[in-house]
Coordinates of all heavy atoms in Angstrom, one line a residue:
P1 N -56.4 21.6 13.2 CA -55.6 22.2 12.2 C -54.4 21.2 11.9 O -53.8 20.6 12.9 CB -55.1 23.5 12.6 CG -55.5 23.7 14.1 CD -56.5 22.6 14.4
A2 N -53.9 21.1 10.7 CA -52.8 20.2 10.4 C -51.5 20.9 10.9 O -51.3 22.1 10.8 CB -52.7 20.0 8.9
Q3 N -50.6 20.1 11.4 CA -49.3 20.6 11.9 C -48.3 20.6 10.7 O -48.3 19.6 9.9 CB -48.8 19.7 13.0 CG -49.6 19.8 14.2 CD -49.0 18.9 15.3 OE1 -48.0 18.3 15.1 NE2 -49.6 19.0 16.5
S4 N -47.5 21.6 10.6 CA -46.5 21.6 9.6 C -45.2 21.1 10.1 O -44.8 21.4 11.2 CB -46.3 23.0 9.0 OG -45.8 23.8 10.1
A5 N -44.7 20.1 9.4 CA -43.4 19.6 9.8 C -42.3 20.5 9.3 O -42.2 20.9 8.1 CB -43.2 18.2 9.1
E6 N -41.4 20.8 10.2 CA -40.3 21.7 9.9 C -39.2 20.8 9.2 O -38.8 19.8 9.8 CB -39.8 22.4 11.1 CG -39.1 23.7 10.8 CD -38.8 24.5 12.1 OE1 -39.7 24.8 12.8 OE2 -37.6 24.6 12.3
T7 N -38.6 21.3 8.1 CA -37.6 20.6 7.4 C -36.2 20.9 8.1 O -36.0 22.1 8.3 CB -37.5 21.0 6.0 OG1 -38.8 20.7 5.4 CG2 -36.4 20.2 5.2
P8 N -35.5 20.0 8.6 CA -34.2 20.3 9.2 C -33.3 20.9 8.2 O -33.2 20.6 7.0 CB -33.7 18.9 9.7 CG -34.4 17.9 8.9 CD -35.7 18.5 8.5
S9 N -32.5 21.9 8.7 CA -31.5 22.5 7.8 C -30.2 21.7 7.7 O -29.8 21.0 8.7 CB -31.2 23.9 8.3 OG -30.5 23.9 9.5
V10 N -29.6 21.7 6.6 CA -28.4 20.9 6.3 C -27.4 21.8 5.8 O -27.7 22.6 4.8 CB -28.7 19.7 5.3 CG1 -27.4 19.0 5.1 CG2 -29.7 18.8 5.9
D11 N -26.2 21.8 6.3 CA -25.1 22.7 5.8 C -24.5 22.0 4.6 O -23.9 20.9 4.7 CB -24.1 22.9 6.9 CG -23.0 23.8 6.5 OD1 -23.1 24.4 5.3 OD2 -22.0 24.0 7.2
L12 N -24.7 22.5 3.4 CA -24.1 21.9 2.2 C -22.9 22.6 1.7 O -22.6 22.6 0.5 CB -25.2 21.9 1.1 CG -26.4 21.1 1.4 CD1 -27.4 21.2 0.3 CD2 -26.1 19.6 1.6
Q13 N -22.2 23.2 2.6 CA -20.9 23.9 2.2 C -19.9 22.9 1.8 O -19.7 21.9 2.4 CB -20.4 24.7 3.4 CG -19.2 25.6 3.1 CD -18.8 26.5 4.2 OE1 -19.2 26.1 5.4 NE2 -18.1 27.5 4.0
A14 N -19.2 23.2 0.7 CA -18.2 22.3 0.2 C -17.0 22.2 1.1 O -16.6 23.2 1.6 CB -17.8 22.7 -1.2
P15 N -16.5 21.0 1.3 CA -15.2 20.9 2.1 C -14.1 21.6 1.4 O -14.1 21.7 0.1 CB -15.0 19.4 2.2 CG -15.9 18.8 1.2 CD -16.9 19.8 0.8
S16 N -13.1 22.0 2.1 CA -11.9 22.6 1.5 C -10.7 21.8 1.9 O -10.7 21.2 2.9 CB -11.8 24.1 2.0 OG -11.6 24.1 3.4
V17 N -9.6 21.9 1.1 CA -8.4 21.2 1.4 C -7.8 21.8 2.6 O -7.7 23.1 2.8 CB -7.4 21.3 0.2 CG1 -6.1 20.7 0.6 CG2 -8.0 20.7 -1.0
D18 N -7.4 21.0 3.5 CA -6.7 21.5 4.8 C -5.3 21.7 4.5 O -4.5 20.8 4.3 CB -6.9 20.4 5.9 CG -6.4 20.9 7.2 OD1 -5.9 22.0 7.3 OD2 -6.6 20.1 8.2
T19 N -4.9 23.0 4.4 CA -3.6 23.4 4.0 C -2.7 23.6 5.3 O -1.5 23.9 5.1 CB -3.6 24.7 3.2 OG1 -4.2 25.7 4.0 CG2 -4.3 24.5 1.9
R20 N -3.2 23.4 6.5 CA -2.4 23.6 7.7 C -1.1 22.7 7.7 O -0.1 23.1 8.2 CB -3.2 23.4 8.9 CG -4.3 24.5 9.1 CD -5.1 24.2 10.2 NE -6.0 23.0 9.9 CZ -6.8 22.5 10.7 NH1 -7.0 23.0 11.9 NH2 -7.6 21.5 10.3
A21 N -1.2 21.5 7.2 CA -0.1 20.6 7.2 C 0.8 20.7 6.0 O 1.8 20.0 5.8 CB -0.6 19.2 7.3
G22 N 0.4 21.6 5.0 CA 1.2 21.8 3.8 C 0.8 20.7 2.8 O -0.1 19.9 3.1
P23 N 1.4 20.7 1.7 CA 1.1 19.7 0.6 C 1.5 18.3 1.1 O 2.4 18.2 1.9 CB 1.9 20.2 -0.6 CG 3.0 21.0 0.0 CD 2.5 21.6 1.2
P24 N 0.9 17.3 0.5 CA 1.3 15.9 0.8 C 2.8 15.7 0.6 O 3.3 16.2 -0.4 CB 0.4 15.1 -0.1 CG -0.7 15.9 -0.5 CD -0.2 17.3 -0.5
R25 N 3.4 15.0 1.5 CA 4.8 14.8 1.4 C 5.1 13.6 0.4 O 4.3 12.8 0.2 CB 5.4 14.4 2.8 CG 5.4 15.6 3.7 CD 6.2 15.4 4.9 NE 6.3 16.6 5.6 CZ 6.2 16.7 6.9 NH1 6.0 15.7 7.6 NH2 6.3 17.9 7.5
G26 N 6.3 13.7 -0.1 CA 6.8 12.6 -1.0 C 6.7 13.0 -2.4 O 5.9 13.9 -2.8
T27 N 7.5 12.4 -3.2 CA 7.5 12.7 -4.6 C 6.3 11.9 -5.2 O 6.2 10.7 -5.1 CB 8.8 12.2 -5.3 OG1 9.9 12.8 -4.6 CG2 8.9 12.4 -6.8
W28 N 5.5 12.6 -5.9 CA 4.3 12.0 -6.4 C 4.3 11.9 -7.9 O 3.5 11.3 -8.5 CB 3.0 12.6 -5.9 CG 2.9 14.0 -6.2 CD1 3.3 15.1 -5.5 CD2 2.2 14.6 -7.3 NE1 3.0 16.3 -6.1 CE2 2.3 16.0 -7.2 CE3 1.5 14.0 -8.4 CZ2 1.7 16.8 -8.2 CZ3 0.9 14.9 -9.3 CH2 1.1 16.2 -9.2
Y29 N 5.1 12.7 -8.6 CA 5.2 12.7 -10.1 C 6.1 11.6 -10.5 O 7.2 11.5 -10.1 CB 5.6 14.0 -10.6 CG 5.1 14.3 -12.0 CD1 3.9 14.9 -12.2 CD2 5.9 13.9 -13.1 CE1 3.4 15.1 -13.5 CE2 5.4 14.1 -14.4 CZ 4.2 14.7 -14.6 OH 3.7 14.9 -15.8
P30 N 5.6 10.7 -11.3 CA 6.4 9.5 -11.7 C 7.7 9.9 -12.4 O 7.8 10.8 -13.3 CB 5.6 8.7 -12.7 CG 4.2 9.2 -12.5 CD 4.3 10.6 -11.9
A31 N 8.8 9.3 -11.9 CA 10.2 9.7 -12.4 C 10.2 9.4 -13.9 O 10.8 10.3 -14.7 CB 11.2 8.9 -11.7
K32 N 9.7 8.3 -14.4 CA 9.7 8.0 -15.8 C 9.0 9.1 -16.6 O 9.4 9.5 -17.7 CB 9.1 6.6 -16.1 CG 9.1 6.2 -17.5 CD 8.6 4.8 -17.7 CE 8.6 4.4 -19.1 NZ 8.0 3.0 -19.3
A33 N 7.8 9.5 -16.1 CA 7.1 10.5 -16.8 C 7.8 11.9 -16.9 O 7.8 12.6 -17.9 CB 5.7 10.7 -16.2
R34 N 8.5 12.2 -15.8 CA 9.3 13.4 -15.7 C 10.5 13.3 -16.7 O 10.7 14.3 -17.4 CB 9.8 13.6 -14.3 CG 10.6 14.9 -14.1 CD 11.0 15.2 -12.7 NE 9.8 15.4 -12.0 CZ 9.6 15.1 -10.7 NH1 10.6 14.7 -10.0 NH2 8.5 15.4 -10.1
R35 N 11.2 12.2 -16.7 CA 12.3 12.0 -17.7 C 11.8 12.2 -19.1 O 12.5 12.7 -20.0 CB 13.0 10.7 -17.5 CG 13.9 10.6 -16.3 CD 14.8 9.4 -16.3 NE 14.0 8.1 -16.5 CZ 13.5 7.4 -15.5 NH1 13.6 7.9 -14.2 NH2 12.8 6.3 -15.7
Q36 N 10.6 11.6 -19.4 CA 10.1 11.6 -20.8 C 9.3 12.9 -21.1 O 8.7 13.0 -22.2 CB 9.3 10.4 -21.1 CG 10.1 9.1 -21.0 CD 9.3 7.9 -21.2 OE1 8.1 7.9 -21.4 NE2 9.9 6.7 -21.1
N37 N 9.2 13.8 -20.2 CA 8.4 15.0 -20.3 C 7.0 14.7 -20.6 O 6.3 15.4 -21.4 CB 9.0 16.0 -21.4 CG 10.3 16.5 -21.0 OD1 10.5 16.9 -19.8 ND2 11.3 16.6 -21.9
V38 N 6.4 13.7 -20.0 CA 5.0 13.3 -20.2 C 4.2 14.2 -19.2 O 4.5 14.2 -18.0 CB 4.8 11.8 -19.8 CG1 3.3 11.5 -19.9 CG2 5.6 11.0 -20.8
E39 N 3.2 14.8 -19.8 CA 2.3 15.6 -19.0 C 0.8 15.2 -19.4 O 0.6 14.7 -20.5 CB 2.5 17.1 -19.3 CG 3.8 17.6 -18.9 CD 4.0 19.1 -19.2 OE1 3.1 19.7 -19.9 OE2 5.0 19.7 -18.8
G40 N -0.1 15.5 -18.5 CA -1.5 15.3 -18.8 C -2.4 15.8 -17.7 O -1.9 16.1 -16.6
Q41 N -3.6 15.8 -18.0 CA -4.6 16.2 -17.0 C -5.5 15.1 -16.7 O -6.0 14.4 -17.7 CB -5.4 17.4 -17.5 CG -4.6 18.7 -17.7 CD -5.5 19.8 -18.2 OE1 -6.7 19.7 -18.4 NE2 -4.8 21.0 -18.3
L42 N -5.7 14.8 -15.5 CA -6.6 13.7 -15.1 C -7.6 14.2 -14.1 O -7.4 15.1 -13.4 CB -5.8 12.6 -14.3 CG -4.8 11.8 -15.1 CD1 -3.5 12.5 -15.3 CD2 -4.6 10.5 -14.4
L43 N -8.8 13.6 -14.2 CA -9.9 14.0 -13.3 C -10.0 12.8 -12.3 O -10.2 11.6 -12.8 CB -11.2 14.2 -14.0 CG -12.4 14.6 -13.2 CD1 -12.2 15.9 -12.5 CD2 -13.6 14.7 -14.1
V44 N -9.9 13.0 -11.0 CA -10.0 11.9 -10.1 C -11.3 12.1 -9.3 O -11.6 13.2 -8.7 CB -8.8 12.0 -9.1 CG1 -8.9 10.9 -8.1 CG2 -7.5 11.8 -9.9
D45 N -12.1 11.1 -9.3 CA -13.4 11.1 -8.6 C -13.2 10.4 -7.2 O -12.5 9.3 -7.2 CB -14.4 10.3 -9.4 CG -15.8 10.3 -8.8 OD1 -16.2 11.4 -8.2 OD2 -16.5 9.3 -8.9
F46 N -13.7 11.0 -6.1 CA -13.5 10.4 -4.8 C -14.6 10.9 -3.9 O -15.2 11.9 -4.1 CB -12.1 10.7 -4.2 CG -11.8 12.1 -4.1 CD1 -12.0 12.8 -2.9 CD2 -11.2 12.8 -5.1 CE1 -11.7 14.1 -2.7 CE2 -10.9 14.2 -5.0 CZ -11.2 14.8 -3.8
A47 N -14.7 10.2 -2.8 CA -15.7 10.5 -1.7 C -14.8 10.9 -0.5 O -13.6 10.6 -0.5 CB -16.6 9.4 -1.4
L48 N -15.4 11.6 0.5 CA -14.7 11.9 1.7 C -15.4 11.1 2.8 O -16.6 11.0 2.9 CB -14.8 13.4 2.0 CG -14.1 14.3 1.0 CD1 -14.4 15.7 1.3 CD2 -12.6 14.0 0.9
D49 N -14.5 10.6 3.8 CA -15.1 10.0 5.0 C -15.4 11.1 6.0 O -15.1 12.3 5.7 CB -14.2 8.9 5.5 CG -12.8 9.4 6.0 OD1 -12.7 10.6 6.3 OD2 -11.9 8.6 6.1
S50 N -15.9 10.8 7.1 CA -16.3 11.8 8.1 C -15.1 12.6 8.7 O -15.3 13.6 9.2 CB -17.1 11.1 9.2 OG -16.3 10.1 9.9
A51 N -13.9 12.0 8.5 CA -12.7 12.7 9.0 C -12.1 13.6 8.0 O -11.1 14.3 8.3 CB -11.7 11.7 9.5
G52 N -12.6 13.6 6.8 CA -12.1 14.5 5.7 C -11.0 13.8 4.9 O -10.3 14.5 4.2
S53 N -10.9 12.5 5.0 CA -9.9 11.8 4.2 C -10.6 11.2 2.9 O -11.7 10.7 3.0 CB -9.3 10.6 5.0 OG -8.6 11.1 6.1
P54 N -9.9 11.3 1.8 CA -10.5 10.7 0.6 C -10.6 9.2 0.6 O -9.8 8.5 1.2 CB -9.5 11.1 -0.5 CG -8.7 12.3 0.1 CD -8.7 12.0 1.5
K55 N -11.6 8.7 0.0 CA -11.8 7.2 -0.1 C -12.4 6.9 -1.5 O -13.0 7.8 -2.1 CB -12.7 6.7 1.0 CG -14.1 7.2 1.0 CD -14.9 6.6 2.1 CE -16.4 6.9 1.9 NZ -17.3 6.2 2.7
D56 N -12.2 5.7 -1.9 CA -12.8 5.3 -3.2 C -12.3 6.1 -4.4 O -13.1 6.4 -5.3 CB -14.3 5.2 -3.2 CG -14.8 4.4 -2.0 OD1 -14.2 3.3 -1.7 OD2 -15.9 4.7 -1.5
A57 N -11.0 6.5 -4.4 CA -10.5 7.4 -5.4 C -10.3 6.6 -6.7 O -9.8 5.4 -6.7 CB -9.2 8.0 -5.0
K58 N -10.7 7.1 -7.8 CA -10.5 6.5 -9.1 C -10.4 7.6 -10.2 O -11.0 8.6 -10.1 CB -11.6 5.5 -9.4 CG -13.0 6.2 -9.6 CD -14.1 5.1 -9.9 CE -15.4 5.8 -9.9 NZ -16.3 5.5 -8.9
V59 N -9.6 7.3 -11.2 CA -9.4 8.2 -12.3 C -10.6 8.1 -13.3 O -11.0 6.9 -13.6 CB -8.1 7.9 -13.0 CG1 -8.0 8.8 -14.3 CG2 -6.9 8.2 -12.1
V60 N -11.2 9.2 -13.7 CA -12.3 9.2 -14.6 C -11.7 8.9 -16.0 O -10.7 9.5 -16.4 CB -13.0 10.5 -14.6 CG1 -14.1 10.6 -15.7 CG2 -13.6 10.8 -13.2
P61 N -12.3 7.9 -16.7 CA -11.7 7.6 -18.1 C -11.7 8.8 -19.0 O -12.6 9.6 -19.1 CB -12.7 6.6 -18.6 CG -13.3 6.0 -17.4 CD -13.4 7.1 -16.4
S62 N -10.5 9.0 -19.6 CA -10.3 10.1 -20.6 C -9.1 9.8 -21.3 O -8.4 8.8 -21.2 CB -10.2 11.5 -19.8 OG -9.1 11.5 -19.1
D63 N -8.7 10.8 -22.2 CA -7.4 10.6 -23.0 C -6.3 11.2 -22.2 O -6.0 12.4 -22.3 CB -7.6 11.3 -24.3 CG -6.5 11.1 -25.2 OD1 -5.7 10.1 -25.0 OD2 -6.3 11.9 -26.1
H64 N -5.6 10.4 -21.4 CA -4.5 10.9 -20.6 C -3.4 9.8 -20.5 O -3.7 8.6 -20.7 CB -4.9 11.3 -19.2 CG -5.5 10.1 -18.4 ND1 -6.9 9.8 -18.5 CD2 -5.0 9.1 -17.7 CE1 -7.1 8.8 -17.7 NE2 -6.0 8.3 -17.2
P65 N -2.2 10.1 -20.2 CA -1.1 9.1 -20.1 C -1.4 8.2 -18.9 O -1.6 8.6 -17.8 CB 0.1 9.9 -19.9 CG -0.2 11.3 -20.4 CD -1.7 11.5 -20.1
Q66 N -1.5 6.9 -19.2 CA -1.7 5.9 -18.2 C -0.7 5.9 -17.0 O -1.1 5.7 -15.9 CB -1.7 4.5 -18.8 CG -2.9 4.2 -19.8 CD -4.2 4.3 -19.1 OE1 -5.0 5.2 -19.3 NE2 -4.5 3.3 -18.3
M67 N 0.5 6.3 -17.3 CA 1.6 6.2 -16.3 C 1.3 7.3 -15.2 O 1.9 7.2 -14.2 CB 3.0 6.4 -16.9 CG 3.3 7.8 -17.5 SD 5.0 8.0 -18.0 CE 5.1 6.9 -19.4
L68 N 0.4 8.2 -15.4 CA 0.1 9.2 -14.4 C -1.0 8.8 -13.4 O -1.2 9.4 -12.4 CB -0.3 10.5 -15.1 CG 0.8 11.1 -16.0 CD1 0.3 12.4 -16.6 CD2 2.1 11.4 -15.3
E69 N -1.8 7.8 -13.8 CA -2.9 7.4 -13.0 C -2.6 7.1 -11.5 O -3.2 7.6 -10.6 CB -3.7 6.2 -13.6 CG -4.5 6.6 -14.8 CD -5.5 5.5 -15.2 OE1 -5.8 4.6 -14.4 OE2 -6.0 5.6 -16.3
S70 N -1.6 6.2 -11.3 CA -1.4 5.8 -9.9 C -0.8 6.9 -9.1 O -1.1 7.1 -7.9 CB -0.4 4.6 -9.8 OG 0.8 4.9 -10.4
A71 N 0.0 7.8 -9.7 CA 0.5 9.0 -9.0 C -0.7 9.9 -8.7 O -0.7 10.5 -7.5 CB 1.5 9.7 -9.9
A72 N -1.6 10.1 -9.5 CA -2.7 11.0 -9.2 C -3.6 10.4 -8.1 O -4.0 11.2 -7.2 CB -3.6 11.2 -10.5
I73 N -3.8 9.1 -8.1 CA -4.6 8.5 -7.0 C -3.9 8.6 -5.7 O -4.4 9.0 -4.7 CB -4.9 7.0 -7.4 CG1 -5.7 6.9 -8.6 CG2 -5.5 6.3 -6.1 CD1 -7.2 7.2 -8.4
G74 N -2.6 8.4 -5.7 CA -1.8 8.5 -4.5 C -1.7 9.9 -3.9 O -1.8 10.1 -2.7
F75 N -1.7 10.9 -4.8 CA -1.7 12.3 -4.4 C -3.0 12.6 -3.7 O -3.0 13.2 -2.6 CB -1.4 13.2 -5.6 CG -1.4 14.6 -5.2 CD1 -0.3 15.2 -4.6 CD2 -2.5 15.4 -5.5 CE1 -0.3 16.6 -4.3 CE2 -2.6 16.8 -5.1 CZ -1.4 17.3 -4.5
V76 N -4.1 12.2 -4.3 CA -5.4 12.6 -3.8 C -5.6 11.9 -2.4 O -6.1 12.5 -1.5 CB -6.5 12.1 -4.8 CG1 -7.9 12.2 -4.1 CG2 -6.5 13.1 -6.0
K77 N -5.2 10.6 -2.3 CA -5.3 9.9 -1.1 C -4.6 10.5 0.1 O -4.9 10.3 1.3 CB -4.9 8.4 -1.2 CG -5.9 7.6 -2.0 CD -5.5 6.2 -2.1 CE -6.5 5.3 -2.8 NZ -6.1 3.9 -2.8
R78 N -3.5 11.3 -0.2 CA -2.8 12.0 0.9 C -3.3 13.3 1.2 O -2.9 13.9 2.2 CB -1.3 12.1 0.5 CG -0.6 10.7 0.4 CD 0.9 10.9 0.3 NE 1.3 11.6 -0.9 CZ 1.7 11.1 -2.1 NH1 1.7 9.8 -2.2 NH2 2.1 11.8 -3.1
L79 N -4.3 13.8 0.5 CA -4.9 15.1 0.8 C -5.8 14.9 2.0 O -6.4 13.9 2.3 CB -5.7 15.7 -0.4 CG -5.0 16.1 -1.6 CD1 -6.0 16.4 -2.7 CD2 -4.1 17.3 -1.3
R80 N -6.0 16.0 2.8 CA -7.0 16.0 3.9 C -7.9 17.2 3.7 O -7.4 18.3 3.3 CB -6.2 16.1 5.3 CG -5.4 14.9 5.6 CD -6.3 13.6 5.6 NE -5.5 12.4 5.7 CZ -5.3 11.6 4.7 NH1 -5.7 11.9 3.5 NH2 -4.6 10.5 4.9
F81 N -9.1 17.1 4.0 CA -10.1 18.1 3.8 C -10.7 18.5 5.1 O -10.9 17.7 6.0 CB -11.2 17.7 2.9 CG -10.7 17.4 1.5 CD1 -10.1 16.3 1.1 CD2 -10.9 18.4 0.5 CE1 -9.6 16.1 -0.2 CE2 -10.5 18.2 -0.8 CZ -9.8 17.0 -1.1
R82 N -11.0 19.8 5.3 CA -11.8 20.3 6.4 C -13.3 20.2 6.1 O -13.7 20.6 5.0 CB -11.5 21.8 6.7 CG -10.2 21.9 7.5 CD -10.0 23.4 7.7 NE -9.3 23.9 6.5 CZ -8.7 25.0 6.4 NH1 -8.7 25.8 7.4 NH2 -8.1 25.4 5.3
M83 N -14.0 19.6 7.0 CA -15.4 19.4 6.7 C -16.2 20.5 7.4 O -15.9 21.1 8.3 CB -15.8 18.0 7.3 CG -15.0 16.9 6.7 SD -15.2 16.6 5.0 CE -16.8 15.9 4.9

């Protein structure tokens, strides 16, 4: 008789932001944008390393103020996730 290979189970639960340390420290909203009341929504694409730290963060192209891009990337890079 043919043997059936058992498929290993994989936990595909989404990681969550580790809030135990609080929000990332430091001012992350650009002062110039704050003074000029510039607001926008950005989508940041990133991967997580095995320790739960973001890597390869980049802003997804869209219609948003350019001056917010580096602040958004910096904010995401300071987040930590529970795996």
